[in-house]
Amino acid sequence: MTASATRTNRITTTRPEARAEVSASGKRNPIAHLTPEDIEDIGRELDAIRDEVLASRGAADAAYIRRMIRTQRSLELASRVVLLFSKFPPAFVVGTTGLTVAKIIENTEIGHNILHGQWDWMRDEKIHSSTWEWDFASPAEQWKKSHNVEHHTYTNVVGMDNDLGYNILRVDPDQEWKLHHVFQPVTNFFTALFFEYGIAAYDLDVKGFKDGTKDKDVFMADLKKVLKKLRAQMGKDYVVHPLLSGPSALSTLLANAIANTARNVWTHSVIFCGHFPDGVETFETESIEGETRGEWYVRQMLGSANISGSRFMHVMTGNLSHQIEHHLFPDLPSNRYAQIAPRVRALMERYGLRYVTGPLPKQVGSAWAKVFRHSLPNKRPGHSQLGDVVAAARDAVTDVLDSTRGMWRRDRRSLAAAPA
Amino acid sequence: MTSPGDVVAPPQADRSSVKRALARVGRGARRVAEALATPLLPEDFIDLVDPLRSGADLRGRVVAVTPETPTATTILIRPGRGWRGHRPGQYTRIGVDVDGVRHWRAYSITSPVGAETISITVRAIPDGRVSNHVRHGLRPGAVLMLDQATGDFVLPDPAPDRVLFLTAGSGITPVMGMLRNDPLPRDVVVVHSAPTSGDMLFRRDLTALAAQGRISLVTRFTATDGILPVTALDGVVPDWRDRDVWVCGPTGLLDDAEAHWAAAGLSGRLHTERFRPRIHAVGDGGEVTFTGAGVTVAADAATTLLAAGEDAGVLMPSGCRMGICFNCVLPLTDGSVRDLRTGEVTTANPEDPVLVQTCVSAAAGPCHLRV
Ligand SMILES: Cc1cc2nc3c(=O)[nH]c(=O)nc-3n(C[C@H](O)[C@H](O)[C@H](O)COP(=O)(O)OP(=O)(O)OC[C@H]3O[C@@H](n4cnc5c(N)ncnc54)[C@H](O)[C@@H]3O)c2cc1C
Ligand code: FES
């Protein structure tokens, strides 16, 4: 990858010979103290934890996911029924709350995890990654490819992991600053509001299509599937259910809009907390070439952050509150992450690795602080950050003028020629 | 205006247009229900309340679990309303979750036709996952997955006058299914072997039928008397050549019977039911890739492609699991597989995929199957 070879930003590599003790912006290498043997030992220990869970997977786990699905569907059904009378404020509040929770669990603890293949071992064709479809703008098939393959393989590798868009956000001092990063707090806010559509666009690889790296026919076929799904989703939430509510149509429509938006903001926050809070590392492309199993595990641990909280919280996040455990073992049933978390944490602490975790508000705050902080260029001694931004803006304007000057002249000439 | 005479016999066209209109309303309602439930199906919500209704995926509710012998258990099942009934001698498939994992197995139906419930009788085999689970893991009230009855181990219509049933062990099950229906063929001989009298399935039913003179029963307890060789039939059923015969039991019995009846030039009169495939050949094993599922697993020479896929969590189509129903067929798009019954190796390449029965084939080197 030539683009990344010339990139000046950090970061950590797990390959000792390629490791810098300190990054360009002065960040310490978090695994400088580990030998290659340590890293492989970590890998072996984690493999053993995984094998233990696999060997004990059974009826209780199957009962868990079935119960979760039953509860979620009952809650959704009940909330929809209550919303038929949403003209009455108490019904509106109860129905909207229920629908929001149901929609969140459908996406997180159920959809996300089933599509990861966490429940494929049950061989129940109704609860299987190859047959599941979810209440989300991106069709399951497209999401699985971009999420499971790209995000989980290239976790926090700058330039490769598009999950939350390193293309848009600058969240690391070693990432090169560009003028558009000034707007990233605003961009990020809107990404949160329309999260599912943003993800659908990522999964479609709209950017790849514009850059010419995605085949046009494939793109068009995928786009058709997305539009079909969008039509069904929108039809359900904004047409059919409201119409069914008769006199409560408008309030039901509003309830659906609130539920969808709240879910967008919630899932955005959860995922945002998974890889962006303070203490989470990012990696450069070279660092993953020829990566060993141990190195892969270490990268997953250092590139993820957990959220602490109650059991209900964990369910609401789809156990992505155990992001570290999930990234280590993406296909283990989500109900087991809480169980292995103390061991993973102990292991990381034993090897002097930071187990990043905290309550949701703290983690969200920390991630947002990064978005604000890095929207401005790094502080340079003797320069003001504002000055740097202004200079960059001036350069950008000059660039635009330079590249359009020819056009202006031609235009003026043709204008002058016209009356003659 | 219509005259009274018209009312008695409404025109055909009217009735069918009413039907069509109703169908259209039905389809419209269905579309609305689908729009309400998307991306799920309306069924996913209705299943919450009524998993056995008609139109649902076929399921059955366990009504009773009754031990028959120390190792055999009869399960009484009330099938969902989509059940289409069976012919005596046919089998059904049940899908049960053992340790959270869904397994499908075929079992002969042992109950008479036309009842509200069906029964199957399962003999536990050592280390058998499903056959042991049904006795200790299934409780009345449990819901299991069910498939429509199938199989051609049945009496023809009209039934022949003189019939021989030659069975051993749990092979009596499909025959019991036939014997529990009326009327029986005029002249029925049942030759049944079991290890001991305590192990013998349906002992009471069979002796009762014999006491009523409806069948002639010959039992053989192999633990004390040794196995009855087919060649010794002459001594037991001297007129066996004049009878249509239905044989079900262990592989050895079936193989011997096939050879015996073929030698007598009477293969046309022989009907067999096998509970497991006859394995002749094992080969090399290899890496099996299930394209579409994106799964690759190493499988040894004795592991069927079906089992290899299932163990890796791939949703594999399946049926009898022993090479008769062709429900498990998948295209082999690359590499070689071996038919475990014959040892024959089938090779395919992406330009020329070949359909193979995954339940009786194993990898013979690396291979790709499309699911
Ligand atoms: C058409 C048809 C009808 C059948 N009807 C009946 C019936 O009425 N009653 C009944 O009890 N079974 C019947 N079977 C057999 C049944 O489907 C299962 O194969 C059997 O119960 C074993 O399943 P399991 O899960 O317990 O064993 P598995 O866990 O699948 O197998 C465990 C071990 O036992 C071996 N094994 C598998 N099947 C047999 C067998 N039949 N005998 C000895 N060893 C075996 C396997 O090779 C394996 O090593 C029928 C099979 C077919 C194809
Ligand atoms: S499952 Fe019946 S032939 Fe393979």
Side-chain angles (χ1 to χ4, degrees), chain A residues 1 28 32 61 99 139 150 165 172 194 211 220 227 339 388 416:
Chain A
M1 292 228 94
R28 191 184 70 82
D61 302 282
L99 186 62
E150 279 151 31
D172 193 291
F194 300 102
D211 299 348
M220 282 314 195
L227 292 179
Q339 179 194 12
D388 283 343

Side-chain angles (χ1 to χ4, degrees), chain A residues 58-59 62 66 70 73 120-126 128 130-131 133-135 232-233 236 240-241, chain B residues 32 35-40 44-45 47-48 57 59 97 99-103 310-311 313-315:
Chain A
R66 293 215 171 90
R70 212 166 37 241
R73 285 184 188 164
D120 283 7
W121 58 275
M122 288 167 31
R123 287 190 223 152
D124 181 340
E125 75 271 22
K126 297 255 155 136
H128 198 274
S130 63
T131 58
E133 190 51 84
W134 60 343
D135 183 44
Q233 294 280 108
K236 168 181 70 163
V240 192
H241 279 289
Chain B
V32 172
L36 287 169
T38 187
L40 298 175
D44 293 323
F45 288 97
D47 278 352
L48 294 174
D57 288 341
R59 299 179 179 91
D97 292 344
D99 293 336
V101 182
R102 174 86 33 96
H103 296 274
E310 286 185 340
D311 287 346
V314 181
L315 276 187

Side-chain angles (χ1 to χ4, degrees), chain B residues 160-353:
Chain B
D161 272 351
R162 312 175 77 187
V163 170
L164 166 62
F165 293 119
L166 180 57
T167 59
S170 56
I172 186 67
T173 49
V175 170
M176 198 65 234
M178 296 186 209
L179 294 177
R180 278 176 173 160
N181 288 281
D182 282 321
L184 290 179
R186 197 175 51 75
D187 177 358
V188 177
V189 178
V190 178
V191 177
H192 178 62
S193 303
T196 65
S197 73
D199 289 326
M200 182 175 156
L201 272 177
F202 308 123
R203 180 146 199 232
R204 198 155 339 130
D205 305 70
L206 291 168
T207 45
L209 282 170
Q212 294 158 17
R214 301 179 65 203
I215 64 170
S216 324
L217 177 65
V218 180
T219 48
R220 172 91 164 200
F221 298 118
T222 54
T224 44
D225 307 339
I227 284 175
L228 177 79
V230 273
T231 44
L233 261 186
D234 277 320
V236 193
V237 193
D239 63 352
W240 62 270
R241 285 181 186 77
D242 304 328
R243 293 173 180 272
D244 284 300
V245 57
W246 276 261
V247 186
C248 184
T251 305
L253 172 66
L254 288 155
D255 291 352
D256 292 350
E258 276 171 5
H260 195 58
W261 262 263
L266 294 170
S267 292
R269 296 206 130 176
L270 178 72
H271 310 266
T272 56
E273 178 89 311
R274 285 176 187 274
F275 283 1
R276 54 188 315 211
R278 179 174 28 175
I279 304 295
H280 270 165
V282 284
D284 347 2
E287 206 140 83
V288 188
T289 302
F290 297 92
T291 57
V295 170
T296 299
V297 286
D300 67 26
T303 304
T304 62
L305 300 171
L306 177 61
E310 286 185 340
D311 287 346
V314 181
L315 276 187
M316 302 286 289
S318 74
C320 64
R321 310 180 75 86
M322 52 147 308
I324 47 174
C325 74
F326 287 81
N327 274 355
C328 62
V329 165
L330 287 180
L332 171 71
T333 55
D334 210 359
S336 301
V337 302
R338 185 183 303 271
D339 189 318
L340 293 171
R341 296 164 301 179
T342 59
E344 196 183 320
V345 171
T346 304
T347 302
N349 58 57
E351 291 73 48
D352 186 18

Side-chain angles (χ1 to χ4, degrees), chain A residues 88-116:
Chain A
F88 308 102
F92 179 81
V93 172
V94 170
T96 309
T97 310
L99 186 62
T100 305
V101 172
K103 274 179 167 273
I104 285 176
I105 293 177
E106 194 274 350
N107 268 195
T108 54
E109 184 66 341
I110 298 174
H112 170 270
N113 294 338
I114 289 176
L115 291 179
H116 256 292

